[in-house]
Amino acid sequence: MSLFSHNFTESSSISNATYDDITHVLNITFRTGPRTYSYYGVPPAVWFEFTRASSAGRYFQQRIAPYYS
């Protein structure tokens, strides 16, 4: 299992996230709550882009939330 982690220190909505590149499960912890949600079938390229996005919250709303459950 290859588990990657990223802290979104500059995001006002997302605290951190982990990604398993074998199962393609993305776990995102939001600052409100805080609550953690899992998103399944997320390709590695989406994880890579997410961790490098200028706005993690915007990237999540546009590229993750509409496509992965």
Side-chain angles (χ1 to χ4, degrees), residues 6-23:
H6 187 82
N7 290 318
F8 293 90
T9 56
E10 296 186 20
S11 175
S12 61
S13 58
I14 297 172
S15 175
N16 60 61
T18 59
Y19 180 70
D20 186 321
D21 72 343
I22 299 205
T23 63

Side-chain angles (χ1 to χ4, degrees), residues 17-56:
T18 59
Y19 180 70
D20 186 321
D21 72 343
I22 299 205
T23 63
H24 297 245
V25 175
L26 172 62
N27 297 298
I28 300 175
T29 302
F30 294 89
R31 293 195 187 280
T32 54
R35 293 186 180 226
T36 301
Y37 294 92
S38 298
Y39 299 89
Y40 300 90
V42 177
V46 171
W47 164 254
F48 182 79
E49 291 173 357
F50 179 47
T51 61
R52 284 152 183 81
S54 60
S55 171

